[in-house]
Amino acid sequence: MEKEVVLITGASSGIGKATAEYLASKGYIVYGAARQPKETPKTFVLLAMDVRQEDSVRAGVAYILEKEGHIDILINNAGVGITGAIEETPIDALENAFQTNFFGAIRAIQAILPTMRSQRKGLIINITSVAAYMGLPFRGGYSASKGALSLLTETLRMETQQFGIEFCTLAPGDVATDIASRRFHTPAIEGSPYKQYAEALPLMNEDVDKGMPAEAIAQKIVQIIRKKNPKGHYVKGKFIERLSLLLKAILPAKCFEKLLKKHYNL
């Protein structure tokens, strides 16, 4: 049986790297993508690809197709974090978050869909976040970019199932990766009316440090890949993160807002 070929964006660290290594151990042919690869992995191929640049994405996809002849699974994992009160966050920082987290995924999808349509099969998993389900204070740019990707996935499921292509999202909670160190942090301005932001920032970073191991997300991705008919959305998080989604669904909006505001001391 022919091995399936997987492309994972954002594969130089964190969830992407753990998933690439785990899929390779399960017998998949794995290509990872990163803006500036700094190592040569032993178990998968790591390509230079910047999801913010269409030419870069198309060149990477073309390279894989030349080598393998097909791409069966795309995992859109490339992402950047961003924090800050929206009023004080530079527009160019918000645009960069969307260019990576949202438009970057679209570029990869548009580059790969023609091949998957011709194959009459394919699976695309968009890595979103528990934050995609709610507008979090001081993480609005991140919530918005991941929320947009979640809704886009619903559209793509309906548009492409006629071609044998499946789409779904996987929304992790906090994962212990280096994303906090690579986030864009809006500076905490002295005398800012949003003084709670400076207080919340260390707590946000601490939540990441106490998060799940990236390997747990990799294992969940393999479970999704092996499903015959994957559903539209999956969540992988700690109890409190999953509980927050339940509360968001069942509580009146104002009650849920009060809970979030209390958590962020607003």
Side-chain angles (χ1 to χ4, degrees):
M1 186 175 180
E2 192 174 43
K3 290 185 177 181
E4 291 188 301
V5 177
V6 185
L7 170 60
I8 306 171
T9 65
S12 61
S13 63
I15 292 172
K17 182 178 181 181
T19 302
E21 292 174 341
Y22 191 64
L23 283 172
S25 75
K26 296 298 181 182
Y28 294 88
I29 298 172
V30 181
Y31 286 82
R35 276 185 293 172
Q36 296 177 325
K38 297 179 180 178
E39 62 176 325
T40 304
K42 294 180 180 179
T43 58
F44 67 96
V45 179
L46 187 58
L47 304 176
M49 181 192 295
D50 187 343
V51 297
R52 299 171 302 175
Q53 303 293 331
E54 183 175 349
D55 290 346
S56 178
V57 173
R58 293 194 176 276
V61 169
Y63 177 86
I64 299 170
L65 291 175
E66 181 181 353
K67 292 291 184 181
E68 307 295 341
H70 57 105
I71 298 174
D72 305 288
I73 300 164
L74 167 65
I75 302 171
N76 274 315
N77 169 71
V80 294
I82 181 170
T83 66
I86 293 298
E87 182 181 345
E88 297 177 344
T89 302
I91 291 294
D92 60 352
L94 291 165
E95 287 177 340
N96 181 65
F98 269 83
Q99 282 295 340
T100 303
N101 299 352
F102 181 66
F103 291 110
I106 294 176
R107 291 184 187 98
I109 290 166
Q110 289 183 338
I112 283 176
L113 275 183
T115 295
M116 289 186 170
R117 280 193 293 101
S118 67
Q119 295 169 177
R120 302 296 297 182
K121 70 181 183 74
L123 170 64
I124 296 179
I125 302 175
N126 291 325
I127 306 299
T128 58
S129 171
V130 167
Y133 289 87
M134 60 194 78
L136 293 174
F138 309 127
R139 284 189 276 185
Y142 187 73
S143 288
S145 65
K146 290 296 190 176
L149 182 58
S150 182
L151 285 179
L152 184 79
T153 304
E154 295 181 1
T155 292
L156 285 160
R157 275 176 65 83
M158 292 182 283
E159 290 180 350
T160 64
Q161 280 181 340
Q162 62 182 315
F163 308 119
I165 300 167
E166 296 288 349
F167 271 86
C168 68
T169 69
L170 172 57
D174 286 318
V175 180
T177 69
D178 63 347
I179 188 171
S181 66
R182 294 182 289 107
R183 278 178 179 155
F184 175 87
H185 295 295
T186 301
I189 302 169
E190 187 174 351
S192 167
Y194 304 100
K195 60 183 185 298
Q196 299 94 337
Y197 169 57
E199 300 167 0
L201 192 53
L203 295 176
M204 287 189 270
N205 292 339
E206 186 179 321
D207 287 342
V208 171
D209 292 338
K210 294 180 179 178
M212 299 173 292
E215 290 74 16
I217 307 302
Q219 292 167 9
K220 182 65 176 181
I221 287 172
V222 170
Q223 292 175 10
I224 294 171
I225 288 173
R226 290 176 173 172
K227 291 183 181 293
K228 186 175 181 181
N229 295 300
K231 62 182 183 179
H233 301 289
Y234 295 90
V235 176
K236 179 69 174 178
K238 293 181 290 187
F239 171 77
I240 190 65
E241 292 164 334
R242 289 182 280 112
L243 177 62
S244 70
L245 298 186
L246 176 62
L247 294 176
K248 176 73 160 56
I250 65 175
L251 289 178
K254 288 185 178 180
C255 291
F256 188 72
E257 282 181 4
K258 285 182 179 179
L259 290 176
L260 284 180
K261 286 166 67 179
K262 183 178 180 180
H263 181 74
Y264 287 92
N265 196 29
L266 288 169

Coordinates of all heavy atoms in Angstrom, one line a residue, residues 84-89 137-138 186-201 264-266:
G84 N -2.0 41.9 23.8 CA -2.1 43.4 24.0 C -3.6 43.8 23.9 O -4.4 43.2 23.3
A85 N -3.9 44.9 24.6 CA -5.2 45.6 24.4 C -5.3 46.0 23.0 O -4.3 46.6 22.4 CB -5.3 46.8 25.4
I86 N -6.4 45.8 22.3 CA -6.6 46.1 20.9 C -6.3 47.6 20.6 O -5.6 48.0 19.6 CB -8.0 45.8 20.4 CG1 -8.1 44.2 20.4 CG2 -8.2 46.3 19.0 CD1 -7.2 43.5 19.5
E87 N -6.7 48.5 21.5 CA -6.5 49.9 21.3 C -5.0 50.3 21.2 O -4.6 51.2 20.4 CB -7.1 50.7 22.4 CG -7.0 52.3 22.2 CD -7.6 53.0 23.4 OE1 -8.3 52.5 24.2 OE2 -7.3 54.3 23.5
E88 N -4.2 49.5 21.9 CA -2.7 49.8 22.0 C -1.9 48.9 21.1 O -0.6 49.1 21.0 CB -2.3 49.7 23.4 CG -2.9 50.7 24.3 CD -2.6 50.6 25.8 OE1 -2.0 49.5 26.1 OE2 -2.8 51.5 26.5
T89 N -2.5 48.0 20.4 CA -1.7 47.0 19.5 C -1.5 47.6 18.1 O -2.5 48.0 17.5 CB -2.4 45.7 19.4 OG1 -2.6 45.2 20.8 CG2 -1.6 44.7 18.6
P137 N -9.7 38.6 26.5 CA -9.1 39.9 26.8 C -7.6 39.8 26.6 O -7.0 38.9 27.0 CB -9.5 40.2 28.2 CG -10.7 39.4 28.5 CD -10.6 38.2 27.6
F138 N -7.1 40.8 25.9 CA -5.6 41.0 25.7 C -5.1 39.9 24.8 O -3.9 39.9 24.5 CB -4.8 41.0 27.0 CG -5.4 42.0 28.0 CD1 -5.7 41.6 29.3 CD2 -5.6 43.3 27.7 CE1 -6.2 42.5 30.2 CE2 -6.2 44.2 28.6 CZ -6.5 43.8 29.9
T186 N 2.5 43.5 22.8 CA 2.4 44.9 22.9 C 3.0 45.4 24.2 O 2.7 44.9 25.2 CB 0.9 45.3 22.8 OG1 0.3 44.8 21.6 CG2 0.7 46.8 22.9
P187 N 3.9 46.4 24.1 CA 4.5 46.9 25.3 C 3.5 47.3 26.4 O 2.4 47.9 26.0 CB 5.4 48.0 24.9 CG 5.6 47.8 23.4 CD 4.4 47.1 22.9
A188 N 3.7 47.0 27.6 CA 2.9 47.5 28.7 C 3.2 48.9 29.0 O 4.3 49.3 29.4 CB 3.1 46.7 30.0
I189 N 2.4 49.8 28.6 CA 2.6 51.3 28.6 C 2.4 51.8 30.0 O 1.3 51.6 30.6 CB 1.8 52.0 27.6 CG1 2.0 51.5 26.2 CG2 2.1 53.5 27.6 CD1 1.1 51.9 25.1
E190 N 3.3 52.6 30.6 CA 3.2 53.2 31.9 C 2.0 54.2 31.8 O 2.0 55.0 30.9 CB 4.5 53.9 32.3 CG 4.4 54.4 33.7 CD 5.7 54.9 34.2 OE1 6.7 54.8 33.5 OE2 5.8 55.5 35.3
G191 N 1.1 54.1 32.7 CA 0.0 55.0 32.7 C -1.1 54.6 31.8 O -2.1 55.3 31.6
S192 N -1.0 53.4 31.2 CA -2.1 52.9 30.3 C -3.4 52.7 31.0 O -3.4 52.3 32.2 CB -1.7 51.6 29.7 OG -2.8 51.0 29.0
P193 N -4.5 53.0 30.4 CA -5.8 52.7 31.0 C -6.1 51.2 31.2 O -7.0 50.8 31.9 CB -6.8 53.4 30.1 CG -6.1 53.5 28.8 CD -4.7 53.7 29.1
Y194 N -5.3 50.4 30.4 CA -5.4 49.0 30.5 C -4.3 48.4 31.4 O -3.5 47.5 31.0 CB -5.3 48.4 29.1 CG -6.3 49.0 28.1 CD1 -6.0 50.0 27.2 CD2 -7.6 48.5 28.1 CE1 -6.9 50.5 26.3 CE2 -8.6 49.1 27.3 CZ -8.2 50.1 26.4 OH -9.1 50.6 25.5
K195 N -4.3 48.9 32.6 CA -3.2 48.4 33.5 C -3.3 46.9 33.8 O -2.3 46.3 34.2 CB -3.3 49.2 34.8 CG -4.6 49.0 35.6 CD -4.6 49.9 36.8 CE -5.9 49.7 37.7 NZ -7.1 50.0 37.0
Q196 N -4.5 46.3 33.6 CA -4.6 44.9 33.9 C -3.8 44.1 32.9 O -3.5 42.9 33.2 CB -6.1 44.5 33.8 CG -7.0 45.2 34.8 CD -7.6 46.4 34.3 OE1 -7.1 47.0 33.3 NE2 -8.7 46.8 34.8
Y197 N -3.5 44.6 31.8 CA -2.7 43.9 30.8 C -1.3 43.5 31.3 O -0.9 42.4 31.2 CB -2.5 44.7 29.5 CG -1.5 44.1 28.5 CD1 -1.6 42.8 28.0 CD2 -0.5 44.9 28.0 CE1 -0.7 42.3 27.1 CE2 0.5 44.4 27.2 CZ 0.3 43.1 26.7 OH 1.3 42.6 25.8
A198 N -0.6 44.5 31.9 CA 0.7 44.2 32.5 C 0.6 43.1 33.6 O 1.5 42.3 33.7 CB 1.3 45.5 33.1
E199 N -0.5 43.1 34.3 CA -0.7 42.1 35.3 C -1.0 40.7 34.8 O -0.6 39.7 35.3 CB -1.8 42.5 36.3 CG -1.6 43.8 37.0 CD -2.8 44.4 37.6 OE1 -3.9 43.7 37.5 OE2 -2.8 45.4 38.3
A200 N -1.7 40.7 33.6 CA -2.1 39.4 33.0 C -1.0 38.8 32.2 O -1.0 37.5 32.1 CB -3.3 39.7 32.1
L201 N -0.1 39.5 31.7 CA 0.9 39.0 30.8 C 1.7 37.9 31.4 O 1.9 36.8 30.8 CB 1.8 40.1 30.3 CG 2.8 39.8 29.1 CD1 2.0 39.2 28.0 CD2 3.5 41.1 28.7
Y264 N -9.5 38.0 34.3 CA -8.5 39.0 33.8 C -8.5 40.3 34.7 O -7.9 41.3 34.3 CB -8.7 39.3 32.4 CG -8.3 38.2 31.4 CD1 -9.2 37.2 31.0 CD2 -7.0 38.1 31.0 CE1 -8.8 36.2 30.2 CE2 -6.6 37.1 30.2 CZ -7.5 36.1 29.8 OH -7.1 35.1 28.9
N265 N -9.3 40.3 35.8 CA -9.3 41.4 36.7 C -9.8 42.7 36.0 O -9.3 43.7 36.3 CB -7.9 41.6 37.3 CG -8.0 42.5 38.6 OD1 -9.0 42.5 39.3 ND2 -6.9 43.3 38.8
L266 N -10.8 42.5 35.2 CA -11.4 43.7 34.5 C -12.7 44.2 35.1 O -13.4 43.4 35.7 CB -11.7 43.3 33.0 CG -10.4 43.1 32.1 CD1 -10.8 42.5 30.8 CD2 -9.8 44.4 31.9

